[in-house]
Amino acid sequence: MTRLFTESTLVIASHNPGKVREFGDLLARFDVRVVSASDLGLEQPIEDGKTFAANAELKARAAAKAANLPALADDSGLAVAALGGDPGIYSARWAGPEKDFGEAMRKLEAALRGQDDRRAKFVCALALCWPNGETGGHLEAFEGAVSGSLVWPPRGDNGFGYDPVFVADGYDLTFGEMDPDKKHQISHRADAFRKLVDACFR
């Protein structure tokens, strides 16, 4: 049976300030104090899962255990059709140790040179874990996605990551140009988050 979230504090198992801010916005209507893994000085676990869901789970379990608080983690990325789903779970790693997504977008553009197929989708796997013992306790998992296409040059300063080169199906603006409130309604993270809220929040 799905477990309801009734605690007052939730750890966002991320050191990415853009991602933490986005989750804070999505959780704003609930009476929950949000703290990040970075705020608590938690170490980043090695993400050696083979899927978005596996990486989200290991991050949520590690943060819940370390903080002894419920933790919400996501693993998300860009899957490009012409690249066989890459960069996929390696989306952040394409940005290098400095998290330079300008470089990641240049790398993506180079990889697609000569390709007509610009279809892509953002995928988000969410894992909510309650602390309990060595391996972490009860876990709920959800996945969301948004399909679209890639454009160059990058457009817009909103969002983060690959947002400036991604246009969702049915829209003209990139996620980087889109008002954050609008993006929150249609993004892969919002899709997964809606499923999480429907199941675990009241």
Side-chain angles (χ1 to χ4, degrees), residues 56-153:
E57 177 175 342
L58 70 87
K59 287 187 283 190
R61 289 195 185 281
K65 180 183 173 186
N68 197 34
L69 289 166
L72 176 65
D74 96 313
D75 196 55
S76 54
L78 183 69
V80 180
L83 302 181
D86 283 343
I89 61 171
Y90 304 109
S91 292
R93 279 170 247 187
W94 275 36
E98 302 302 317
K99 304 297 184 201
D100 182 352
F101 277 94
E103 177 59 31
M105 287 184 280
R106 287 188 289 273
K107 191 180 296 186
L108 187 59
E109 182 181 15
L112 284 170
R113 199 161 288 137
Q115 297 274 4
D116 293 327
D117 186 357
R118 295 298 171 91
R119 289 175 300 137
K121 66 179 178 179
F122 273 125
V123 179
C124 173
L126 287 181
L128 174 59
C129 184
W130 285 261
N132 180 23
E134 286 299 307
T135 59
H138 184 85
L139 184 132
E140 300 286 350
F142 307 90
E143 192 163 298
V146 57
S147 296
S149 58
L150 301 175
V151 296
W152 278 276

